[in-house]
């Protein structure tokens, strides 16, 4: 992936999204100079309520005509059982994931968010099983359709997956490496005491 122009990423959120996975990813990408759009799938009281009660205010809502989805380079699905289910069930989210994957744009998911990858049918578009990981609690829903790996972060082409809140810094830094290069990854990781 070329590192010239400023990269842009969408991070989807919904009621029940795992807040650490969403916020850590958003923050690390923004520290790397990646333009992040926090995109909610439902319009509610101006915010979503995450899995542990933290309220997040999205930048926009899916269906907002001012959001030009095709201008983004990456899409990220955080976990959280309820939030991942809501994202997996949304036909627009599934279509965006499938389109980004087909266009060789970065598609990423952490924890139960990997269920959205399956819901999008990405695994049916390839000749070899895709390598993927998730939170262990949803492994049984994924291991028959993917080459499941019990690893902290798994990269298979333009698909990046991870396991849960405790692996999210590694996940987000891998996204930075892919989108902006290893030098930028190191620049971001060092002051956060992750280098």
């Amino acid at each position: 992936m070329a590192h010239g122009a400023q990269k842009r990423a969408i991070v989807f959120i919904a009621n029940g999204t795992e807040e650490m996975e969403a916020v850590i990813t958003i923050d690390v990408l923004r520290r790397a100079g990646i333009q992040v759009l926090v995109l909610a799938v439902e319009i509610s009281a101006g915010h979503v309520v995450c899995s542990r009660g933290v309220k997040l205010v999205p930048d926009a809502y899916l269906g907002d005509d001012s959001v030009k989805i095709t201008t983004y380079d990456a899409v990220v699905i955080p976990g959280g059982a309820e939030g991942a289910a809501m994202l997996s069930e949304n036909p627009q989210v599934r279509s965006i994931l499938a389109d980004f994957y087909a266009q060789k744009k970065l598609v990423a998911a952490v924890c139960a968010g990997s269920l959205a990858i399956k819901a999008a049918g990405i695994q049916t578009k390839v000749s070899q099983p895709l390598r993927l990981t998730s939170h262990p609690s949803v492994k049984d829903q994924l291991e028959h359709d993917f080459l499941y790996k019990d690893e902290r972060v798994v990269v298979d082409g333009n698909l990046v997956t991870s396991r849960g809140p405790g692996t999210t810094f590694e996940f987000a830094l891998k996204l930075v490496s892919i989108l902006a290069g290893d030098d930028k990854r190191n620049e971001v990781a060092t002051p956060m005491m992750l280098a």
Side-chain angles (χ1 to χ4, degrees):
M1 205 169 272
H3 305 301
Q6 183 185 29
K7 297 297 182 179
R8 305 173 81 210
I10 294 168
V11 177
F12 277 111
I13 60 171
N15 285 323
T17 288
E18 210 297 323
E19 44 272 75
M20 287 174 39
E21 294 164 3
V23 172
I24 290 168
T25 302
I26 292 162
D27 181 275
V28 170
L29 293 176
R30 286 182 174 165
R31 286 174 190 247
I34 295 164
Q35 183 183 341
V36 177
L37 177 74
V38 181
L39 194 58
V41 295
E42 74 278 348
I43 297 172
S44 54
H47 61 265
V48 302
V49 179
C50 294
S51 62
R52 305 302 183 276
V54 173
K55 295 175 183 171
L56 296 180
V57 178
D59 298 317
Y61 293 93
L62 188 59
D64 181 340
D65 293 337
S66 68
V67 176
K68 304 297 182 216
I69 300 287
T70 58
T71 65
Y72 287 82
D73 305 292
V75 61
V76 181
I77 305 288
E82 182 187 341
M86 190 169 290
L87 295 171
S88 295
E89 293 163 7
N90 185 291
Q92 284 179 279
V93 172
R94 290 194 310 258
S95 177
I96 291 164
L97 289 170
D99 289 349
F100 272 52
Y101 187 80
Q103 295 167 30
K104 304 287 188 229
K105 293 182 176 186
L106 190 60
V107 175
V110 60
C111 194
S114 292
L115 293 172
I117 304 301
K118 179 180 176 180
I122 290 171
Q123 71 280 8
T124 67
K125 309 294 184 209
V126 294
S127 59
Q128 297 292 320
L130 288 168
R131 293 185 311 277
L132 169 140
T133 196
S134 69
H135 192 272
S137 65
V138 297
K139 176 180 180 176
D140 63 332
Q141 297 175 59
L142 296 163
E143 64 186 344
H144 300 293
D145 296 295
F146 297 89
L147 185 57
Y148 193 90
K149 299 289 185 182
D150 290 314
E151 297 170 12
R152 294 174 66 82
V153 178
V154 174
V155 179
D156 192 341
N158 57 316
L159 177 64
V160 180
T161 53
S162 190
R163 306 212 75 191
T167 64
T168 304
F169 277 109
E170 293 164 64
F171 169 74
L173 288 168
K174 177 55 73 176
L175 302 182
V176 170
S177 288
I178 293 167
L179 291 168
D182 290 336
D183 288 346
K184 180 58 76 175
R185 179 232 177 266
N186 295 337
E187 178 186 316
V188 168
T190 300
M192 290 194 300
M193 308 311 295
L194 292 169

